[in-house]
Amino acid sequence: MTATITTAAEQDAVFGGVDSHADTIHVAVITDRGGHVADAEFPTTAAGYAAATAFLNAHGTVMAVGVEGTSSYGLGFTRTARHAGLTVVEVNRPDKAERRRIGKSDPIDAYAAARAALSGRASVIPKDDTVSGIRALHNAARSAVKARTATLNQIAHILITAPDDIRVKYFALRGKTQVDALSRLRPTGDGPRVALLTALKTLARRVQALTAEHDTLTAALDAAATEHNPGLRAAFGVGPDTAAQLLVTAGGNPDRLRTEASFAALCGVAPVPASSGRTNRHRLSRGGDRGANSAFTASPSSACPATPAPANTSPGRPPPDARRKRSSASSSARSPGRSSATSPHRSPSRTSPTFGRHARPRTSP
């Protein structure tokens, strides 16, 4: 452990910053006016996290600690700091222009994180561990689907260049029927033919194993999501995957979702103003959590009785905004349990702006 102290005087109110890595974390302390106090490096172990917390408390009353990577390399320190009663805020990586101007090092990044906590630029509460199990199951299930799709593509490519009798026999089959037939192959013939049939049989059995694995993970995911939030899982059109994605996006922090508008912005489905001069319109958001955005797009909210009917347009060509793909964030929020289910301790605001799947932003006449 190494430490560099630039000011010996103890301060009454200080702010901390942490630059996290796989093996070490660098902690910096500044005054409430931005002056540098001290910085030190600690290992990413339980003892190192405890020493880093003690280092912060030794220089005064810690008002807040800005941490980079609160969901990755900085998660261990975040847990320890919260357990010690410190206020932790999530810090994004430094601005590229500032990094080019002042350079990059662990102390520089740590002091930048502390200044972000001091200025209020970093104010996001880190995600807690209440949905960590759901996140792990969801990632494992998605990787199983991805691997199964890649394996099915390999089977299709091999069959395209296979001998005529094999291609005609198995290429016409589809889905589970094709996989089951290939898994029962008994490779015979010359060397190249045996090798090709062996590859097809192996890939088919891999698909079967990945399918069984995905089914097991989905069942566990369904049970975990239902236990964590029964209202969300019971909402119309919300399956295990959608429920898990929304719970992961919410992060188990109801304070992050104050209104329907903040929930829509977090999911990247809130229309963004794109007006200029006499033009008054909105465009689709390209930010937010894209996984949650995909979950909303895939949910069949248009069949929900609570979803409003499409706006009736004039017989002529509809305006460009009416032809855009509509998100289903707010229509899902109006469905029983969707918005309030992801934030169980808060009821959805009825005064916040709502943009449904078929809602059309106002345009100038």
Side-chain angles (χ1 to χ4, degrees):
M1 180 179 66
T2 61
T4 302
I5 299 178
T6 57
T7 302
E10 182 177 343
Q11 306 296 327
D12 293 334
V14 296
F15 289 80
V18 177
D19 180 34
S20 58
H21 300 280
D23 300 322
T24 61
I25 59 171
H26 204 95
V27 182
V29 183
I30 63 174
T31 67
D32 55 358
R33 295 186 178 182
H36 291 194
V37 177
D39 65 274
E41 187 176 89
F42 301 90
T44 54
T45 61
Y49 297 144
T53 304
F55 174 79
L56 288 169
N57 289 323
H59 291 85
T61 303
V62 182
M63 306 304 295
V65 183
V67 181
E68 287 188 21
T70 57
S71 298
S72 55
Y73 291 140
L75 180 57
F77 174 80
T78 300
R79 291 170 177 164
T80 303
R82 279 180 159 180
H83 184 71
L86 299 180
T87 300
V88 180
V89 293
E90 186 175 352
V91 177
N92 295 328
R93 283 185 288 182
D95 181 69
K96 292 183 179 180
E98 182 180 3
R99 174 167 289 182
R100 285 193 297 267
R101 180 173 57 85
I102 64 176
K104 181 190 184 312
S105 68
D106 292 349
I108 290 176
D109 289 347
Y111 279 115
R115 287 194 298 271
L118 168 63
S119 64
R121 180 170 57 87
S123 59
V124 177
I125 302 174
K127 297 179 180 179
D128 56 28
D129 294 335
T130 57
V131 294
S132 58
I134 295 177
R135 182 185 292 108
L137 288 173
H138 185 54
N139 291 338
R142 290 181 61 185
S143 66
V145 172
K146 185 176 180 180
R148 183 177 60 184
T149 302
T151 307
L152 289 171
N153 291 337
Q154 287 179 311
I155 292 176
H157 294 162
I158 292 176
L159 287 176
I160 289 175
T161 58
D164 292 341
D165 57 333
I166 298 177
R167 185 177 68 253
V168 171
K169 182 177 181 180
Y170 296 105
F171 198 76
L173 302 178
R174 290 291 182 268
K176 186 176 183 299
T177 304
Q178 183 190 67
V179 172
D180 292 342
L182 292 174
S183 66
R184 295 190 297 266
L185 282 173
R186 295 182 179 180
T188 57
D190 55 8
R193 185 182 181 88
V194 170
L196 186 144
L197 293 177
T198 301
L200 289 173
K201 180 178 181 179
T202 302
L203 292 174
R205 292 191 173 183
R206 184 184 302 173
V207 170
Q208 292 177 334
L210 289 170
T211 301
E213 178 182 321
H214 179 260
D215 293 341
T216 302
L217 290 170
T218 300
L221 188 63
D222 191 6
T226 302
E227 180 182 2
H228 184 81
N229 201 317
L232 175 63
R233 183 62 184 89
F236 182 88
V238 179
D241 292 335
T242 300
Q245 180 61 64
L246 295 180
L247 289 173
V248 169
T249 301
N253 293 294
D255 293 336
R256 298 165 71 101
L257 309 176
R258 296 181 177 87
T259 62
E260 289 182 6
S262 64
F263 179 55
L266 179 63
C267 297
V269 293
V272 178
S275 303
S276 178
R278 297 182 179 180
T279 303
N280 182 16
R281 68 182 186 89
H282 293 73
R283 65 169 176 82
L284 296 178
S285 172
R286 298 178 181 88
D289 190 320
R290 306 315 295 174
N293 183 277
S294 299
F296 273 122
T297 303
S299 61
S301 60
S302 59
C304 178
T307 303
N312 185 21
T313 58
S314 59
R317 182 179 176 83
D321 285 342
R323 299 194 301 270
R324 295 177 182 270
K325 182 185 70 173
R326 301 302 175 199
S327 64
S328 58
S330 189
S331 61
S332 299
R334 284 191 294 269
S335 301
R338 173 66 67 91
S339 178
S340 59
T342 54
S343 183
H345 304 294
R346 292 180 182 270
S347 59
S349 173
R350 296 300 178 185
T351 60
S352 60
T354 299
F355 300 94
R357 181 183 181 90
H358 302 291
R360 177 168 60 89
R362 293 182 178 179
T363 58
S364 57

